[in-house]
Each structure stands twice: as structure tokens, then as C-alpha cells.
Amino acid sequence: MSNGRGGCLPLILGLILLTIIFDDDGGWQGTEVQSETYDPRGARRPMPENGGDIYEIAEPGAPIDSQGTAFAIDRDGVWLTAQHVAVGCRYIGLEQGRSLDPVGSSLLSQESDATLLLDAPASPTILALANPASLPYGAPGIHMGFPSGRPGIVFSQFLGRSSASRGPQRQAEPVFAWAETDRALISGDPLGGISGGPTFDGQGRVIGVNSASTERRGRVLTTAPDAIARLVTASGRVDERGTPLPMPTKAAALATFRQLRDDGTIRIVYCDVP
């Protein structure tokens, strides 16, 4: 773990620039979500040694009705999103056209900013998860989601494995850090709402979940793939492997995102808190 020398950076959580109103008087009625937590850390699994900065993520405050991004990883209704998107929710719904499909349960990681949405809508298409591995410096990243509720893509280059500090106890978590290089479909707006969306590596596999960003320095943080793998294994609910989606050009990435959006593989996720 970095010893905290210099470079500590306040980050804006990728959570929630768009507040969603749920009608408590007869509007959308979901099934109250049943949430569990999973934490593999302890004396036998300390945080990995990381170089570079320790990123400090600003406290988001009390949970509010909110919006983020989620994506399917198993056809039997298993989705991934960011932990901070799904924490404290009474109801969780995935947007489908003009309606919301309810999520029945969730498994929140206490190790990283990742959550599995379970007992959720089935999806005919699923995304491929990358095997936990190191990436070379400068490797390309493609971050997809719905900043401010609208489709958007961020292109980046890999900086390295690092650590982020969040929560009242400033608990450290493993992250991958990326330097933003370009955007598509985003007109300078902050990235709130892209949280929970997939980050693809150069082979078109999901290498992380969008977690946090900073406008000032153009950094994007994503969950480490090994932490995602441990959460997926602990759930016992994922027994399929998606097909990688190579995106060698920005035009290919745009076309892929439009297809994944249109077929419902990547959706806006809404959280209603008590």
C-alpha cells in the first residue's frame, strides 16, 4: 500500500447527479430489496501493496433517491453495479423503456465499490468479465454508462493499481486508476450517473466497475478485477461467461454501446431509499 506520500486527491463520487422521484402513493411498486454484504478481508487477506497515489473519495452524505448504471453478467438475472449506487436502497429498479424492472436482492462488497444485483431481470446478452490480471501502463480503457441519465463513454489510459480511501473509517479499497483521454456523447457535464457502468479493456472484457472521478485532474477510478472476482465467486450465482466485445476504434465503441443499450444489457439503475 502506498504510504500516503503526496498526491492525495479528493474525488467526486460518481453517484447521483440526477435525483429520481419515486411515487409513494401508487407509482412504481417494486419488491423491497433484500441486501447482504460480503467482506473477504482480514489478517489472511491484507490490502495489496500498491504504488502511486492514495485517492481520497469525498463523503457522499446520507443516501438519497438516486441513479447510476448497471450491466448484466449472467442471463439468469445477475447484474453488476457500484456499491455506492445500491447502498441503503429500499427498492432498486432497472429502467426498461418507460418502466422499471424490480431487483429482488443485492450482495454488497465491503472490500470494494461493487455490488451484485440478484433476482433481477433476465438478459439475453451478458458481458464478459476479465480474469484478474495486471495491465501494462497506458493500456486503453473504455468506460460506459449514463452520466446525468444520458448515454456517455469515457476513453482512458491505464495508470496502475492503487488504493482509494472512503467511508467514516477511511477504509482502503483496491482500485485501478485511469487517465481520461476523450469523451463521446458527453458535452462537458460531470460524470455522475456513470458509476456502476462497465470499464472494458482492449480485448472488450469488463476489467472494472466505474467508481469515482475527478474533473480537475481527469482521473477515473474503477474497482479492481480481483475484488470483483471474489464477490462473484462468493455469490455462487454466476455460471456463465460472456463473449468479449473488441472495440478497436472509438466508432466501434459507440456502435457497441448503442447495441448494448438498445438490447438492455446496460441500463440505468434507480435506488429508492427509506
Side-chain angles (χ1 to χ4, degrees):
M1 182 185 302
S2 170
N3 62 9
R5 57 187 183 283
C8 289
L9 179 67
L11 288 170
I12 303 171
L13 278 174
L15 171 90
I16 327 306
L17 291 186
L18 180 64
T19 298
I20 307 303
I21 299 175
F22 290 83
D23 185 351
D24 293 328
D25 299 317
W28 177 65
Q29 294 295 318
T31 302
E32 193 159 337
V33 67
Q34 303 299 308
S35 297
E36 297 183 59
T37 58
Y38 166 73
D39 191 347
R41 292 180 301 182
R44 301 178 72 178
R45 192 188 295 279
M47 276 287 297
E49 293 292 326
N50 300 315
D53 297 333
I54 292 179
Y55 295 87
E56 184 175 346
I57 298 176
E59 284 296 312
I64 59 173
D65 292 354
S66 55
Q67 162 257 317
T69 303
F71 56 96
I73 60 170
D74 189 279
R75 291 178 180 86
D76 291 332
V78 181
W79 298 66
L80 257 174
T81 189
Q83 196 254 28
H84 75 262
V85 169
V87 68
C89 304
R90 176 179 56 179
Y91 302 114
I92 296 175
L94 295 171
E95 184 179 70
Q96 180 64 18
R98 294 181 177 275
S99 62
L100 292 178
D101 291 333
V103 172
S105 61
S106 63
L107 181 62
L108 290 79
S109 174
Q110 294 299 298
E111 175 191 15
S112 67
D113 191 20
T115 286
L116 286 177
L117 304 179
L118 309 171
D119 305 312
S123 175
T125 306
I126 59 175
L127 302 186
L129 299 180
N131 292 322
S134 59
L135 286 178
Y137 179 85
I142 302 172
H143 313 263
M144 296 183 181
F146 297 93
S148 299
R150 297 185 292 272
I153 301 178
V154 174
F155 299 94
S156 68
Q157 292 182 326
F158 182 61
L159 295 177
R161 176 186 283 267
S162 192
S163 300
S165 172
R166 79 169 76 230
Q169 280 76 50
R170 309 314 300 166
Q171 181 168 279
E173 60 188 56
V175 297
F176 277 12
W178 308 78
E180 181 180 331
T181 59
D182 200 2
R183 296 183 178 188
L185 307 176
I186 305 172
S187 58
D189 295 323
L191 295 178
I194 203 171
S195 282
T199 294
F200 293 93
D201 64 11
Q203 299 180 52
R205 306 167 303 177
V206 175
I207 195 71
V209 174
N210 302 329
S211 177
S213 67
T214 172
E215 295 292 310
R216 183 173 63 86
R217 284 184 57 186
R219 297 290 185 262
V220 178
L221 298 186
T222 63
T223 56
D226 47 326
I228 294 174
R230 286 190 284 273
L231 180 65
V232 166
T233 299
S235 76
R237 298 285 295 272
V238 178
D239 56 11
E240 298 181 89
R241 295 186 64 85
T243 301
L245 303 170
M247 292 169 270
T249 66
K250 293 177 182 178
L254 280 166
T256 298
F257 185 28
R258 289 191 177 104
Q259 181 62 47
L260 295 172
R261 178 197 61 192
D262 291 346
D263 67 21
T265 307
I266 300 178
R267 300 196 203 179
I268 297 177
V269 58
Y270 295 109
C271 167
D272 174 38
V273 302

